[in-house]
Amino acid sequence: MIHRIAVERRGEEGRIVRIYNLETAGEIDVSKLDRLFCNPLKERLVEVMPAGKFTEVMYHNGVVDPEQEQIIKGCRAYGIQIEAAKVGHRYYGVARKQVIFNKLVHVMFTEEPKIETLKPRGVRRGMEVFDLTAMFDDELVQLSKERQLGLNLEQMCKLVEFQKALDLPVVTDVMLEVFGAKWSDHCVHTTWRSLELFPLLKGATESIQHPLLVSAFVDNAGGWRLWDGYVAAFKLETHNSPTAKEPYGGQLTKFGGVIRDILGMGKGAHPCGNLEMTALGEFERIRYPQLEEYTLPGRVIARETIRAVKDYGNPMGIPMLSARMISHPCFTGKPFALGGTLGIVKEEHALKGTPNVGDLMVLVGGRTGNDGLHGATISSGELHEQVDTGDASHVQIGNPYTEQKMVPASRELKEQRTIRAVTDCGAAGILMAGSELGEATGGKGGAIMNLAAVPLKCAGLENWQILLSESQERMIYAVVPDQLQTFEAICLKYELECTVIGIYNDSGEFTVVYDPETSLYDTHMPLSGEVCLRVPYEYFEQCPLPQFPVNIPEVAEHKLDIPVTLDNVAAMALKVVSHFDVCDQSAATTQYDSTVQGKTVRGPLYGVNYNIPTHLSAVYADYGTPFGLTVSWSYSPPQFESDPAKAAINAMLDAIVTQILGGVSLDEICLADNFYTPNKDPYGYYWLKQQVQAIAQYSQELGTPFITGKDSSSGSATYGSTTVNVLPSVAITALGRHPNLSKLTPHQWQGVGNKLVLIAWRGAVPSLDGSILSSSLGISGNSLSTIDPFSAKLRFRSLEEMIKTGIVRSAVPVNRGGLIMRLFEGVEASGFGVETGLCRELFPEFMGCGLVEIEPHDMGQLYEFFDPKFHVVEVGTITQNKGITVQEQPLPLALLRQAWQATFRKEVM
Amino acid sequence: MAPLVNILYFPGTQCEQETKAAFELAGFDARIVFVEQLLSRKVRITDCAVCHVPGGFSEMDSIDVGRISAAVARDELPKLKEQGIPTGFTCNGFQIGVEAELFGPNIALVRNDVGTFVSRPVKHKIVSPFENVRCIWTDGLEGEIYEFPAAHGSGKLVGVPGKIVCPNTVMLYEGKSPNGGEIAGITDDSGLFFGLMDHWERPWDNPAGQAILANLKKHL
């Protein structure tokens, strides 16, 4: 029996009605539930629905409403037993335009719905089979295309070989889908492997032999040793294709995924901080107006990003440490959706485990549905309008509530020693998680997985869909068999569903069955039910790699010359502060909880008005530890537009110097790389190689290892006749360990009369190429300034020593926006003023350099570390009167502030 | 012996660890109690000197903030009042307390005026209740101004139109309110309950939070 309880919230009268659909076995006294669904001070029960046209949206019958569990629980508290529940929203008038509808999971009504049941219904289709050996080449290619496998002819031919070698009359659709996912760029990094890039970066890390390194590139996240047995977990992830298609879902699950990477690091780390950076087009320059009919406007992506980051990050209870949006026309086709999470784990649990023979494969968390299918293959391919409209299912649906409960549960599961290994279900779902975990079991690897045991939230899923679904909030644990009861009890305590879905063995094979009759698992159990897949583990490694052209571009040097004088300095300053990349974005940032867990030392903003973006964020490792983690990142599209290789170096120097300015030693910093490479730019692979070579060299010579990273090599999108390539670029994030965060160097200016000093590289003032000013003016040169690694290391060491003396009262890096931006932020953050004798030098970006505040009587000590002739530029003096004076000429501070605050509000909010 | 604090955990609670650390720093002995343990009679909610309901997104804010948790614990929470256990309610804990009508039937916490979640430092001023009530948590701290962060989306305290929102106000916003309301914290008629939307436990060793806890300890 279906009951519908309609409620209007105060303030939404006549516009939105919430309808709680409840299914019961028989009659109930609905009035008993009045107080559950209606607090008279906030809501009103609707007896008669408002008249007029409406649109009603709810989850369709194939999908369980995420709120069902809570509503059943609430009803039970009032003595009413409910079998199923779904929440509908009915919109009237202008509110109909605000309807959020995802055809993958929602159903829409414009007339009174006739609901027979709320329980999932559907019919499961059997497996399809194919005789690949009987197919011609063009048929193989066609099959790959039709099923969106993303496999080329050579790879399909390899599957023909496998079919013959296994002596199979036919192969199943499961086998095709498995290899489509396993051999996707997303999962095996075909681009990087083909270009032989991994050895460069990993080789540099290995050669450093850093004593703080716990793990690099082998686990879900990198591990960096702190003190007292604590290890920091470090991971950043991109979610570009899903965000282009459906920004809310894409950004939501970006965080879901990267947080699970931390939960799956070692035997489970505790997430302690999030990082957010999204680059999207095109607020600064309109380059692709013809794409408006194909792509979502930047404003929509930006708003949906904010909504998603807030809706996932806040309920997770993980503080946001840094958040920024950036704009460049090259992201019009596909945004750069970067998100990161830091974690903490004790050293005894910091290394990845391997299941023993006989360990149970246990799936924990959310149920499996039809969301996220083909996520691995689609994110590895080019985005175009056919994918855009034809396959919406690659976008996942997130529910942070389930994942949040995993955080405390994860802690207990490992402390009670119930598990041998863990990993998260990300791309290609339980296929990748379940198979990867068992690849070394017993020396040969081996696992049997039973799809019939997997709890589903959608009815009628086919076998390959269960296996590849990228439904969120799921982890796979290898559970010690005699600890299963304890494991289940912990999951029950946190109301997490857990199910044994298989077993690890040493067969050397990965086997998938569908057998509803099997619930007991044995190492060498006879296979029963439908055998969907049975292949040697070694087959997964035999992916024929595609070849990628490395074309060398012809570059004619062009250096920008923008005359900045006292006559135009105010206008130029206005251009800089109002640029989207550096403007006031606190309206978004303050929507993210930055203090939860109570260990945040410096969050995403600072200053007397709490609206200035932080360069270096910090959290304590634990309650009572003086030490903690510091994090900084660098990514500036104008730099990559100017010279992709030098920009990669500059990003690295910038992220590192930010740490050193905060008081972190060069020896205590590690790095993450997140590459974004266009796959249709003829020179994209050349620049990728140049970038990897450059950062590997600097990493080695500076002694700062890369310990985690991600390569997104599908940064091209074609719509109609237009192809948009992202800039060949890499975001660099630095993680440091700080011995005593109470001594973290402040960003905020400390005292009137103090000197502001730029610690610069030796040589001429950098060019304006790659600067925010050049981007504002819409011009770009390719003569980007940088410095050799030897000199950089010398300067970093001197800076580090100077910081240790305690003479530096505050410090910021001179990155995006240059000195003029730092002076403006300094004034706004402190309420003081500044007088500077510089003018033209205020606009270039001194990447890798710092602006430090020194008391006048300490200047002599500063000169002991830096030669005043070559490395010290006296920028100005902090004054009592709030304002910026350039060579005795005051800049219009109120106008600058207005411009700085207006951009984001105008473009996004 | 250090007074024992029961910190209640509902599924979706997320501030239990920093709350526990803050209480322990202030000299209390704190433990986390799962609501399921209360419902299954494994633990008694009143077996403690102090109880605390911390922040989070309990039961995924389903139906409305605090609604399901208040329903699930509807037979348990009133025992604190009956037994005279001093109880703190922070953020989502306060939303649960208000939904459970532990501060009276005529108040509610509604969406912030700005319509969004707000996370930023906020200043608070301790005041005396209008009526003859002494709040065990804040009594003696009147006039103090404390800074600790707000992090909520539905924190504006409203009452029945035309009446004083809450006569038992013990903390006002000093400067810009995160939610548009004037009232930050309230007590109940007994002075034992203390609810506020903002987080005195952030950071865990915040001197403001420690001052409030020291004050509470003094009055126990």
Side-chain angles (χ1 to χ4, degrees):
Chain A
M1 183 171 282
I2 304 295
H3 312 269
R4 282 162 65 83
I5 300 172
V7 173
E8 257 181 352
R9 285 191 177 169
R10 305 283 178 203
E12 291 179 353
E13 292 92 340
R15 295 188 296 122
I16 303 171
V17 178
R18 283 169 174 73
I19 302 167
Y20 298 96
N21 300 280
L22 311 176
E23 184 166 352
T24 60
E27 287 286 349
I28 57 167
D29 180 359
V30 178
S31 67
K32 281 187 175 178
L33 299 173
D34 284 357
R35 181 59 185 87
L36 179 67
F37 293 109
C38 175
N39 176 342
L41 284 169
K42 301 169 86 168
E43 295 123 350
R44 182 182 76 84
L45 285 170
V46 179
E47 305 290 343
V48 181
M49 286 292 190
K53 285 186 176 177
F54 65 83
T55 301
E56 185 177 329
V57 176
M58 61 187 273
Y59 283 96
H60 68 57
N61 254 13
V63 180
V64 176
D65 191 315
E67 283 194 66
Q68 171 172 282
E69 186 192 330
Q70 278 65 45
I71 291 173
I72 289 176
K73 204 189 272 188
C75 292
R76 196 187 304 133
Y78 283 88
I80 303 285
Q81 298 301 321
I82 300 292
E83 294 184 339
K86 279 191 164 67
V87 185
H89 289 80
R90 184 177 285 195
Y91 302 87
Y92 292 88
V94 290
R96 292 175 72 196
K97 292 179 184 166
Q98 300 165 3
V99 169
I100 296 169
F101 177 75
N102 178 349
K103 65 183 177 186
L104 189 65
V105 293
H106 290 138
V107 61
M108 185 186 282
F109 305 101
T110 51
E111 294 176 1
E112 202 60 46
K114 294 181 178 62
I115 301 169
E116 293 172 12
T117 181
L118 302 171
K119 298 173 187 171
R121 286 187 303 187
V123 179
R124 198 174 75 88
R125 281 174 54 190
M127 285 188 292
E128 282 188 79
V129 292
F130 304 87
D131 181 3
L132 301 182
T133 60
M135 288 184 175
F136 293 110
D137 287 357
D138 57 339
E139 291 173 307
L140 291 170
V141 170
Q142 188 60 24
L143 178 62
S144 171
K145 198 172 176 186
E146 279 172 6
R147 292 197 69 98
Q148 295 189 349
L149 301 175
L151 298 174
N152 62 24
L153 178 60
E154 204 184 344
Q155 291 164 329
M156 288 298 286
C157 288
K158 195 72 185 174
L159 296 189
V160 176
E161 272 181 41
F162 290 165
Q163 184 186 341
K164 288 176 184 167
L166 295 169
D167 200 19
L168 297 171
V170 288
V171 298
T172 62
D173 53 2
V174 173
M175 178 154 165
L176 293 179
E177 295 285 350
V178 161
F179 280 92
K182 279 274 189 183
W183 289 353
S184 65
D185 191 71
H186 190 94
C187 293
V188 292
H189 315 279
T190 47
T191 307
W192 272 56
R193 284 171 65 170
S194 178
L195 294 172
E196 298 178 335
L197 299 175
F198 281 123
L200 288 173
L201 219 46
K202 291 180 177 175
T205 295
E206 281 167 19
S207 71
I208 294 169
Q209 294 196 317
H210 205 293
L212 300 185
L213 180 65
V214 175
S215 70
F217 301 113
V218 292
D219 201 340
N220 295 34
W224 194 240
R225 191 169 283 113
L226 304 176
W227 290 273
D228 294 354
Y230 287 93
V231 169
F234 184 29
K235 179 65 187 280
L236 290 99
E237 183 65 273
T238 50
H239 226 204
N240 307 326
S241 289
T243 300
K245 171 71 191 80
E246 207 274 274
Y248 182 74
Q251 297 281 32
L252 202 72
T253 52
K254 171 180 83 177
F255 274 105
V258 76
I259 293 166
R260 281 197 310 281
D261 275 331
I262 298 300
L263 291 171
M265 185 264 191
K267 292 188 182 62
H270 177 82
C272 66
N274 281 338
L275 312 167
E276 152 66 20
M277 196 285 290
T278 295
L280 65 170
E282 42 188 15
F283 295 130
E284 285 298 327
R285 282 179 273 172
I286 306 295
R287 192 181 287 171
Y288 301 105
Q290 69 273 31
L291 292 193
E292 275 175 16
E293 61 179 298
Y294 299 112
T295 61
L296 293 169
R299 174 192 294 259
V300 171
I301 297 179
R303 285 180 176 179
E304 290 294 83
T305 294
I306 297 166
R307 198 164 68 88
V309 173
K310 176 185 64 165
D311 285 358
Y312 209 97
N314 293 349
M316 278 305 302
I318 302 169
M320 178 59 73
L321 299 180
S322 177
R324 194 78 200 156
M325 284 191 201
I326 280 173
S327 175
H328 190 279
C330 78
F331 299 112
T332 311
K334 234 176 159 180
F336 187 20
L338 179 68
T341 302
L342 307 181
I344 289 287
V345 63
K346 294 296 276 191
E347 188 139 8
E348 63 191 288
H349 300 303
L351 289 178
K352 195 90 195 151
T354 297
N356 282 3
V357 172
D359 282 354
L360 298 166
M361 185 190 293
V362 182
L363 180 62
V364 174
R367 294 194 152 209
T368 299
N370 62 350
D371 41 331
L373 292 167
H374 283 143
T377 48
I378 288 178
S379 67
S380 304
E382 186 191 358
L383 203 64
H384 49 82
E385 63 269 26
Q386 280 78 24
V387 171
D388 197 35
T389 55
D391 192 339
S393 57
H394 72 281
V395 178
Q396 305 111 331
I397 301 155
N399 178 9
Y401 174 70
T402 302
E403 193 152 309
Q404 195 271 343
K405 292 186 290 187
M406 288 178 175
V407 175
S410 161
R411 186 167 49 228
E412 279 194 47
L413 291 173
K414 64 175 182 280
E415 283 173 1
Q416 298 283 330
R417 301 194 179 278
T418 62
I419 63 170
R420 203 105 55 189
V422 57
T423 196
D424 79 304
C425 299
I430 59 173
L431 163 67
M432 285 303 286
S435 63
E436 273 184 3
L437 215 53
E439 64 192 8
T441 297
K444 290 193 290 184
I448 301 171
M449 182 187 280
N450 182 7
L451 299 178
V454 176
L456 305 180
K457 63 181 174 184
C458 299
L461 287 187
E462 297 174 43
N463 288 345
W464 72 268
Q465 292 175 317
I466 299 171
L467 192 58
L468 264 70
S469 164
E470 293 179 11
S471 286
Q472 295 288 290
E473 293 89 31
R474 300 177 304 160
M475 307 283 291
I476 284 189
Y477 288 87
V479 176
V480 181
D482 61 9
Q483 292 295 315
L484 181 64
Q485 227 176 344
T486 310
F487 184 97
E488 288 174 334
I490 294 168
C491 289
L492 184 66
K493 185 163 112 179
Y494 289 97
E495 299 188 5
L496 282 168
E497 190 164 11
C498 71
T499 313
V500 180
I501 63 164
I503 191 163
Y504 289 100
N505 61 26
D506 56 358
S507 63
E509 293 175 335
F510 181 63
T511 304
V512 179
V513 300
Y514 184 94
D515 182 6
E517 305 302 319
T518 294
S519 59
L520 292 172
Y521 296 87
D522 191 69
T523 313
H524 296 292
M525 58 196 277
L527 300 183
S528 52
E530 296 173 31
V531 178
C532 314
L533 175 77
R534 186 177 184 180
V535 291
Y537 258 97
E538 66 203 48
Y539 279 18
F540 296 141
E541 300 303 317
Q542 295 175 18
C543 173
L545 294 174
Q547 295 302 305
F548 297 97
V550 180
N551 305 315
I552 302 172
E554 286 181 21
V555 180
E557 194 176 13
H558 167 57
K559 186 175 180 179
L560 277 187
D561 184 21
I562 305 169
V564 179
T565 65
L566 270 183
D567 292 336
N568 64 9
V569 66
M572 294 298 180
L574 274 168
K575 283 280 182 194
V576 171
V577 300
S578 60
H579 191 285
F580 188 83
D581 295 5
V582 294
C583 71
D584 176 14
Q585 299 184 2
S586 61
T589 314
T590 52
Q591 294 186 42
Y592 314 143
D593 190 345
S594 58
T595 53
V596 63
Q597 295 190 16
K599 291 181 288 191
T600 305
V601 178
R602 188 188 290 158
L605 298 169
Y606 72 103
V608 290
N609 294 315
Y610 195 65
N611 57 358
I612 307 298
T614 298
H615 298 276
L616 182 71
S617 305
V619 285
Y620 284 117
D622 205 347
Y623 306 109
T625 60
F627 56 86
L629 295 71
T630 51
V631 65
S632 55
W633 61 269
S634 188
Y635 183 77
S636 189
Q639 291 254 325
F640 289 99
E641 191 171 13
S642 177
D643 184 325
K646 285 184 180 171
I649 295 168
N650 281 351
M652 200 172 152
L653 299 175
D654 179 35
I656 290 173
V657 81
T658 305
Q659 294 278 342
I660 294 173
L661 291 167
V664 179
S665 162
L666 182 62
D667 299 325
E668 298 182 332
I669 299 167
C670 61
L671 301 166
D673 59 277
N674 286 83
F675 280 87
Y676 201 13
T677 306
N679 50 316
K680 294 288 181 188
D681 179 341
Y683 306 114
Y685 300 120
Y686 167 81
W687 286 118
L688 174 61
K689 281 193 87 164
Q690 293 291 309
Q691 288 170 329
V692 176
Q693 284 167 356
I695 64 169
Q697 184 205 350
Y698 275 67
S699 165
Q700 201 166 355
E701 298 203 21
L702 293 171
T704 46
F706 282 89
I707 70 165
T708 182
K710 172 78 189 292
D711 48 292
S712 302
S713 305
S714 307
S716 299
T718 300
Y719 300 96
S721 58
T722 305
T723 294
V724 184
N725 293 310
V726 300
L727 295 166
S729 56
V730 53
I732 303 286
T733 309
L735 173 76
R737 63 170 204 173
H738 195 292
N740 187 348
L741 284 174
S742 67
K743 294 186 176 172
L744 184 71
T745 316
H747 285 337
Q748 193 166 322
W749 295 345
Q750 298 295 302
V752 172
N754 289 346
K755 298 289 180 193
L756 294 172
V757 177
L758 169 68
I759 308 296
W761 306 128
R762 182 172 181 156
V765 172
S767 75
L768 279 162
D769 294 354
S771 66
I772 289 294
L773 178 61
S774 72
S775 172
S776 285
L777 297 171
I779 51 178
S780 182
N782 58 13
S783 179
L784 201 58
S785 304
T786 190
I787 189 174
D788 66 275
F790 178 76
S791 305
K793 190 168 185 175
L794 276 180
R795 294 294 88 73
F796 286 157
R797 286 288 183 212
S798 302
L799 200 53
E800 185 183 317
E801 291 304 314
M802 184 177 75
I803 299 282
K804 274 187 198 161
T805 65
I807 64 169
V808 175
R809 303 294 310 282
S810 72
V812 285
V814 191
N815 51 25
R816 291 186 307 275
L819 282 168
I820 190 69
M821 196 65 216
R822 296 298 87 77
L823 296 186
F824 172 77
E825 289 170 345
V827 168
E828 287 299 302
S830 66
F832 297 142
V834 65
E835 288 174 354
T836 175
L838 306 180
C839 182
R840 191 177 73 85
E841 300 85 346
L842 297 174
F843 295 88
E845 288 162 18
F846 295 79
M847 300 295 278
C849 302
L851 178 68
V852 299
E853 177 189 351
I854 306 281
E855 291 185 24
H857 59 83
D858 286 329
M859 287 299 285
Q861 213 174 333
L862 181 144
Y863 297 141
E864 291 173 17
F865 295 97
F866 295 100
D867 187 330
K869 276 193 211 156
F870 301 117
H871 301 299
V872 178
V873 179
E874 288 199 33
V875 174
T877 306
I878 298 172
T879 61
Q880 186 68 55
N881 295 331
K882 192 172 178 182
I884 304 174
T885 307
V886 177
Q887 295 179 356
E888 298 183 356
Q889 177 178 300
L891 295 185
L893 185 63
L895 212 55
L896 289 171
R897 186 183 306 118
Q898 207 178 350
W900 175 66
Q901 290 175 333
T903 303
F904 198 70
R905 291 190 188 281
K906 177 171 113 344
E907 301 288 3
V908 177
M909 304 306 284
Chain B
M1 202 166 71
L4 178 65
V5 186
N6 279 350
I7 297 169
L8 299 193
Y9 178 94
F10 293 85
T13 292
Q14 56 185 207
C15 303
E16 74 281 7
Q17 294 297 337
E18 57 265 43
T19 304
K20 183 171 181 282
F23 269 107
E24 286 172 350
L25 183 68
F28 292 83
D29 184 12
R31 65 174 177 174
I32 291 162
V33 174
F34 290 74
V35 169
E36 188 51 40
Q37 292 176 301
L38 303 178
L39 301 180
S40 59
R41 306 276 181 264
K42 287 179 186 149
V43 177
R44 280 193 299 199
I45 195 169
T46 52
D47 278 353
C48 59
V50 176
C51 187
H52 195 87
V53 191
F57 287 75
S58 68
E59 302 291 3
M60 71 187 293
D61 283 353
S62 181
I63 304 179
D64 196 20
V65 290
R67 188 74 57 85
I68 300 286
S69 299
V72 169
R74 62 202 290 256
D75 294 332
E76 292 296 318
L77 292 170
K79 292 176 185 170
L80 295 165
K81 192 160 269 207
E82 289 159 15
Q83 297 290 316
I85 305 288
T87 305
F89 301 83
T90 307
C91 200
N92 183 236
F94 189 30
Q95 292 165 338
I96 294 169
V98 170
E99 273 292 338
E101 299 183 5
L102 299 175
F103 294 89
N106 294 324
I107 56 169
L109 289 158
V110 299
R111 291 291 291 168
N112 298 348
D113 278 357
V114 288
T116 61
F117 192 94
V118 172
S119 166
R120 63 176 176 81
V122 178
K123 287 194 172 73
H124 307 79
K125 185 175 186 180
I126 309 274
V127 295
S128 299
F130 296 157
E131 297 187 351
N132 191 23
V133 174
R134 296 166 81 89
C135 175
I136 190 171
W137 297 71
T138 58
D139 186 35
L141 300 176
E142 290 81 359
E144 295 287 347
I145 292 177
Y146 291 139
E147 184 173 299
F148 42 82
H152 59 255
S154 296
K156 184 178 182 183
L157 195 70
V158 297
V160 177
K163 291 190 175 175
I164 293 171
V165 175
C166 180
N168 293 327
T169 299
V170 294
M171 201 179 272
L172 294 171
Y173 286 115
E174 179 79 6
K176 195 176 170 189
S177 161
N179 50 51
E182 289 178 12
I183 298 171
I186 60 172
T187 187
D188 68 336
D189 291 340
S190 73
L192 295 172
F193 285 10
F194 173 43
L196 86 162
M197 284 308 301
D198 307 330
H199 294 272
W200 52 257
E201 80 285 9
R202 298 185 189 178
W204 69 288
D205 56 353
N206 189 325
Q210 290 301 303
I212 292 169
L213 294 185
N215 195 57
L216 167 69
K217 203 172 169 197
K218 191 174 74 184
H219 284 100
L220 285 176

